[in-house]
Amino acid sequence: MNFGGKTRRRGKNDTEGEKRELVFKGDDQEYAYVTKLLGNGRLSAISIKGEKLRVHIRGKMRKKVWIAVGNLVLVSEREFETVKEDTDRNVDLLIRYNDEEESQLRKYGEIPDVRPKTDEGAAEEGDDADIEFNRDLEADDDSDSDNNNNIRDDDFDIDDI
């Protein structure tokens, strides 16, 4: 008997509890950490060697495997693309490792114990993160106190606004 409807299919692909075979990197593959989600099936990552990568999520993984910043992933270099100088390399996402698999890879010596440094805190072009607002508080306090002596809170009423 078919019951149709969305509620019957929920949780169908739930594989959280299942263990899978640990996959090691092969030729033209490397491990990387996700640094930024770019949208449209793309993300930015930094390889174990410290190189910046632009990662494309394959169609097989879209909307099935959820990626977050800080996840360890296995990426494969694109054979059909040439690398331009001063640009991030384009690679394809193959596997997202969970925390248990990441610790096993560390135990086998595949990845280092220390994560590579990322530019998460650094300001990008156009960001205002490097602007500092410094005020001389003593000078401002003197000028504000002169203005505040002339105007009191009792002088204003809600109807005056």
Side-chain angles (χ1 to χ4, degrees), residues 47-123:
S47 71
I48 298 297
K49 300 173 188 173
E51 301 172 349
K52 288 186 180 181
L53 305 172
R54 178 163 293 140
V55 182
H56 175 260
I57 301 173
R58 299 182 314 155
K60 179 181 179 181
M61 300 183 76
R62 280 191 190 189
K63 296 188 178 181
K64 294 182 179 97
V65 178
W66 296 105
I67 311 293
V69 173
N71 284 141
L72 177 69
V73 293
L74 180 66
V75 295
S76 174
E77 187 143 348
R78 292 184 165 190
E79 297 173 1
F80 55 89
E81 282 192 17
T82 58
V83 179
K84 298 176 184 177
E85 291 185 28
D86 299 333
T87 59
D88 299 344
R89 289 185 7 227
N90 287 331
V91 294
D92 292 320
L93 179 69
L94 299 179
I95 297 172
R96 177 191 60 107
Y97 293 105
N98 59 27
D99 294 335
E100 182 180 329
E101 293 169 332
E102 185 177 348
S103 65
Q104 288 178 351
L105 287 172
R106 286 187 204 289
K107 191 180 350 177
Y108 290 128
E110 288 286 318
I111 58 175
D113 291 336
V114 179
R115 291 183 178 214
K117 293 182 182 178
T118 59
D119 298 351
E120 288 179 24

Side-chain angles (χ1 to χ4, degrees), residues 17-31:
E18 294 181 22
K19 284 192 174 185
R20 64 179 180 196
E21 186 177 331
L22 188 62
V23 179
F24 296 104
K25 74 175 184 172
D27 296 337
D28 295 332
Q29 296 176 354
E30 58 186 304
Y31 302 109

